[in-house]
Amino acid sequence: MADANWLPDPTGMHELRYWDGSSWTEHVSDQGTTGQDPLTTELPPPAAAFPPPPGPPPATAAAGGKLSWKDRLKQVADQGKAMADQGKQKLAEQNARRTEQWANDPSTLWFGESKSAATSAAGVSKARYRITRDRVWIESGLLGTRTESVPLWAVKDMDVRQAVWQRGNDVGDVVLVLEDPSYGAKADMFTLSGNVEGTTTGQVVLDNVEGPYAVMDLLAPLISEARQKKTVERQSQYVHHMTPGFGAPAPAAPPPAAPPQTDMVEQLRKLGELRDAGILTEEEFAAQKAKILAG
């Protein structure tokens, strides 16, 4: 069983996970940054951290049973190759899970990956791309994964770039020109060499994707629709900003004032005075009194 050490995360969710010699722990590491991600299921123990190279042990050991410096170098190289193969397998498994997730997502209209010669030969891709109805999504990085997105309304123009060798393979770069560089991906993106490459040109490049012209044809109506909606939204915001009361509902009319209530007792009193003065007959008095009481 492997000794306690940082080993490739068997879940594929992180770069490394700590094996304490008897079980996997919650301690994880990505690009040198450690954290915690507790396990929800029990995982099988790892193989030996550094499996021995295939074949019989070298027969050129120096006197006293110690390996010569050439054999030590070869052993280190074999160990490094074994670790690289293990890491490549984990990356391939992670990419396969992501591809399945995107393929089953109903909002996905297209997805692909960078088909550069260096990464394709290694069996991994340095970037993966997905198009939905309102955004272009980018996952980049080999040592760690960064997910970013660009709104389609921010794309003002696009083009396809193809080198001679790309045309024969129907591979090319789809270049999205943004109306403002700040709408694009973040300024630092990991390259294959591990360096940080700046993206301050106001462009987003879907690098080395298959069928670049088909991708551009898919994007064209989506971008047009998104930009029209954004224009209407901006115009509406401008009108409301310049005329704050524009479009607001008219204030409701105040309810009519209630007619002043007449004192019923006072009416009956005056009606009685008119009867006593002989102005009203008894029948007229009775009729007016009934009207007042029915009020």
Side-chain angles (χ1 to χ4, degrees), residues 38-223:
L39 293 170
T40 57
T41 58
E42 185 175 354
L43 298 174
F50 300 106
T60 56
K66 295 183 180 180
L67 295 177
S68 67
W69 66 270
K70 291 183 178 180
D71 294 328
R72 286 197 296 269
L73 286 178
K74 184 178 184 302
Q75 188 177 43
V76 170
D78 290 337
Q79 292 172 351
K81 183 178 182 301
M83 292 188 65
D85 291 341
Q86 188 177 16
K88 184 173 70 174
Q89 180 182 358
K90 294 299 181 182
L91 283 174
E93 293 173 355
Q94 184 177 357
N95 289 349
R97 284 195 296 270
R98 175 58 86 189
T99 298
E100 181 181 3
Q101 179 183 356
W102 282 356
N104 295 330
D105 189 339
S107 64
T108 299
L109 303 181
W110 174 90
F111 65 90
E113 61 183 24
S114 175
K115 294 291 184 180
S116 63
T119 54
S120 296
V124 295
S125 59
K126 70 175 182 180
R128 292 165 297 281
Y129 311 106
R130 180 168 71 120
I131 297 175
T132 60
R133 185 158 294 278
D134 60 347
R135 286 182 177 270
V136 174
W137 299 82
I138 304 168
E139 284 193 353
S140 58
L142 294 177
L143 302 179
T145 300
R146 166 179 291 163
T147 300
E148 302 167 288
S149 67
V150 177
L152 294 183
W153 56 260
V155 180
K156 67 177 181 179
D157 196 8
M158 59 180 171
D159 195 9
V160 169
R161 295 189 307 219
Q162 277 186 311
V164 174
W165 67 268
Q166 290 177 312
R167 293 174 185 170
N169 299 321
D170 193 23
V171 173
D173 302 342
V174 178
V175 182
L176 306 180
V177 182
L178 307 180
E179 64 179 42
D180 189 315
S182 63
Y183 297 145
K186 292 183 179 178
D188 54 328
M189 298 179 65
F190 286 97
T191 64
L192 181 62
S193 63
N195 295 327
V196 175
E197 187 175 87
T199 56
T200 58
T201 62
Q203 295 181 349
V204 170
V205 180
L206 308 188
D207 176 64
N208 285 287
V209 296
E210 292 182 337
Y213 286 100
V215 174
M216 188 170 68
D217 290 341
L218 171 66
L219 281 170
L222 298 175
I223 292 174

Side-chain angles (χ1 to χ4, degrees), residues 23 30 45-46 69 89 98 101 103 121 172 208 228 231 241 264-265 294:
S23 63
D30 294 286
W69 66 270
Q89 180 182 358
R98 175 58 86 189
Q101 179 183 356
N208 285 287
Q228 288 177 3
T231 299
H241 176 72
M264 185 182 298
V265 176

Side-chain angles (χ1 to χ4, degrees), residues 259-288:
Q261 296 184 352
T262 306
D263 190 348
M264 185 182 298
V265 176
E266 180 65 14
Q267 285 182 328
L268 293 174
R269 186 184 64 79
K270 290 182 178 180
L271 191 63
E273 290 177 353
L274 295 175
R275 181 198 59 185
D276 296 339
I279 298 175
L280 296 176
T281 65
E282 194 66 30
E283 291 78 7
E284 292 173 340
F285 170 81
Q288 294 297 326

